[in-house]
Amino acid sequence: MGVLLVIPVTHAQIDPFSTRAGLEDVSPDLNWMARDTDACNVTSLHNPVSIYEAVSRALCSDPTARESWANMLLNSAQVGVAESAWLPTLDASGTRSRTVQTQTVSGPTFPDAIGRTSDRYAELRLSWVLFDFGQRDANLAYYKGLLDLSKAAHTETLQSVFGQAAGAFYAVWTAESTLDAADDAEKNAERSYQIARHRHLAGAGTLNDELQAKAAWQEAIYARVNAAGTFKTAQGNLCVRMGIPVETDIRVDVDAGVQPDVKFTSSVADLLALAQAANPKLREAHAQIDADEANAKLALRRELPTISLSGTLSNDKALGAFPRDTRTGSRYIGIQISIPIFAGFGDEYHRQASDAQVDIDRASLHKAELDVAASVWRSYQDVVTKTANLEVAAATQESAQEAYDVASKRYGAGVGALLDVLNAQTTLATAQRQVIQSQADWRVARLVLAFAIGTLDGQRWNTHAEAP
């Protein structure tokens, strides 16, 4: 999409009615990200990758974003076609012919008779609709409604691409953080095993303690290998979203941008009100109603007369014609009235179908309003829950770390049991994973809430920005 957005308008892309004006202002922040100079340049890939770069590259390379942009261009062109109905049409036609006619008469004393004629004809025809009882107005309103619909759909597409790319980014963040935690857990397990082994060799511990510690160490290795596999899978998914080779070994910047905050005081009523005004799905539904209402008016207007101005200017020149050359010119101008009388009841059924479509659109709007409200409510409650979990997970990890340190020191000093160390070790590893998961869940929950409201592009971004 980024390539499409920066293509300059050439002489072949004239826009006399300015129907494409303002298209780049649809979701301007996300479009601005997609037009970043380095967005689709593979050689400029940074490592680690920021959330900004991940989203920019996804917006630039995703085919659905390019498709929705092209759909806006299509509908803007249709608006131009509707606008052109107010202007006259002027057609020119002409012919040029040459005729050679040979007459042969039998007999030695009669020569062939040869006749040559040429004809030149030119005509200029003018047609201009002067009054049509609102047909052109309704037709223009219909296509403007479709353009508004495509604008809302483009916003939804960009936000969807944004959400998918950010989700893939945070999946890599979670997998990388989990892998780091698994490495720490493996080191702790290995340290516990070495302590148990030395105690057994020194006669201060038992073989059973050594074997249990070794089993715990091998289990930690198993967990670390699985975490590495999950990390590679997440890396590949993010590469696909960014439009870069899937085997690219990328890392993500886990420290840039906003960090988790346990304070969340937004009112759900305010968020619901914001969603009613900003959500692109609701804007699509309203635009669809406007377009189909205009189409219903158009169906009614088509049963009314049309008054047009028409005229022709022609010139016909025949050279070599019998008995002499002829030149004929004509001029015509007049008012033409076209009155539809009977079309086999097709117009009536067309009007009924248009009215029924408007009723369908209104029902779809009500359904969309209910869906958006439910989505915002669920997402809001999820953010509240994930926000509360942040503090709990952090406190749990702190306690687990203290318990592990105490148990490890006591066992090393010969006054504690290995089972206490292994239990504390397992609890600490679980707590570390919970902290990582709670932070990832908090970030993703905020994304989902912003997408449900329809405000993923509601602020100006920079290269160090975090998702709203």
Side-chain angles (χ1 to χ4, degrees), residues 81-105:
V81 173
E83 291 269 16
S84 67
W86 272 271
L87 298 180
T89 59
L90 190 64
D91 300 313
S93 62
T95 60
R96 182 174 183 177
S97 64
R98 180 179 178 85
T99 304
V100 178
Q101 186 177 19
T102 302
Q103 185 179 23
T104 302
V105 182

Side-chain angles (χ1 to χ4, degrees), residues 42-382:
V42 178
T43 59
S44 66
L45 180 67
H46 299 91
N47 215 353
V49 175
S50 67
I51 180 68
Y52 172 89
E53 184 174 11
V55 173
S56 294
R57 289 181 178 274
L59 290 171
C60 178
S61 62
D62 194 279
T64 58
R66 295 198 300 270
E67 181 183 4
S68 66
W69 173 260
N71 192 47
M72 279 203 306
L73 293 179
L74 170 64
N75 283 285
S76 68
Q78 294 287 8
V79 170
V81 173
E83 291 269 16
S84 67
W86 272 271
L87 298 180
T89 59
L90 190 64
D91 300 313
S93 62
T95 60
R96 182 174 183 177
S97 64
R98 180 179 178 85
T99 304
V100 178
Q101 186 177 19
T102 302
Q103 185 179 23
T104 302
V105 182
S106 300
T109 61
F110 297 97
D112 293 345
I114 300 175
R116 294 179 175 85
T117 61
S118 62
D119 185 74
R120 299 176 181 177
Y121 176 78
E123 181 182 68
L124 195 63
R125 183 180 297 275
L126 170 71
S127 179
W128 193 354
V129 176
L130 300 178
F131 192 68
D132 59 1
F133 293 92
Q135 290 187 42
R136 290 172 295 180
D137 291 307
N139 190 53
L140 178 60
Y142 172 69
Y143 284 110
K144 282 186 175 180
L146 292 185
L147 179 58
D148 290 339
L149 175 64
S150 65
K151 288 179 178 179
H154 185 58
T155 296
E156 183 180 6
T157 298
L158 291 180
Q159 293 193 20
S160 178
V161 172
F162 174 97
Q164 292 169 358
F169 176 89
Y170 288 131
V172 174
W173 180 90
T174 303
E176 186 174 353
S177 300
T178 301
L179 178 58
D180 291 340
D183 285 334
D184 292 339
E186 180 183 350
K187 292 175 182 177
N188 291 337
E190 182 182 8
R191 184 164 53 251
S192 298
Y193 165 68
Q194 294 297 340
I195 294 174
R197 179 171 176 270
H198 290 147
R199 283 173 56 83
H200 175 227
L201 293 177
T206 65
L207 177 61
N208 184 52
D209 285 351
E210 180 182 348
L211 295 177
Q212 284 186 350
K214 186 177 182 179
W217 178 32
Q218 291 172 333
E219 184 178 351
I221 295 174
Y222 178 83
R224 189 258 305 162
V225 171
N226 283 339
T230 302
F231 176 53
K232 283 295 183 182
T233 300
Q235 278 184 320
N237 290 336
L238 180 58
C239 289
V240 170
R241 290 293 176 192
M242 294 171 60
I244 60 178
V246 69
E247 70 276 7
T248 305
D249 185 19
I250 59 175
R251 300 274 176 167
V252 298
D253 187 354
V254 298
D255 297 323
V258 67
Q259 297 301 311
D261 187 357
V262 297
K263 297 179 181 179
F264 185 76
T265 58
S266 298
S267 167
V268 68
D270 293 339
L271 297 180
L272 287 170
L274 180 59
Q276 290 293 322
N279 191 278
K281 293 181 179 179
L282 299 184
R283 287 162 48 201
E284 283 183 66
H286 283 292
Q288 187 69 64
I289 291 177
D290 293 341
D292 287 333
E293 283 180 342
N295 193 38
K297 291 180 181 178
L298 178 60
L300 181 63
R301 298 292 190 272
R302 282 175 177 166
E303 300 177 9
L304 301 176
T306 300
I307 302 175
S308 304
L309 173 68
S310 61
T312 58
L313 178 64
S314 63
N315 184 32
D316 188 5
K317 181 185 295 184
L319 303 178
F322 180 82
R324 59 184 178 274
D325 296 348
T326 61
R327 293 176 175 82
T328 304
S330 65
R331 297 177 180 85
Y332 163 79
I333 188 169
I335 299 295
Q336 177 181 343
I337 301 177
S338 176
I339 304 175
I341 297 176
F342 182 69
F345 301 108
D347 290 337
E348 173 64 24
Y349 284 114
H350 186 195
R351 185 173 65 252
Q352 293 178 17
S354 300
D355 291 338
Q357 184 62 52
V358 172
D359 292 336
I360 293 173
D361 294 339
R362 288 171 179 161
S364 298
L365 172 61
H366 183 58
K367 181 178 182 298
E369 289 173 339
L370 295 177
D371 290 343
V372 168
S375 179
V376 171
W377 176 258
R378 288 194 304 268
S379 301
Y380 174 85
Q381 299 302 331
D382 194 40

Side-chain angles (χ1 to χ4, degrees), residues 2 6 31-40 52-53 56 60 463:
V6 298
N31 277 330
W32 179 71
M33 292 174 67
R35 296 196 304 272
D36 190 347
T37 305
D38 296 333
C40 279
Y52 172 89
E53 184 174 11
S56 294
C60 178
T463 54

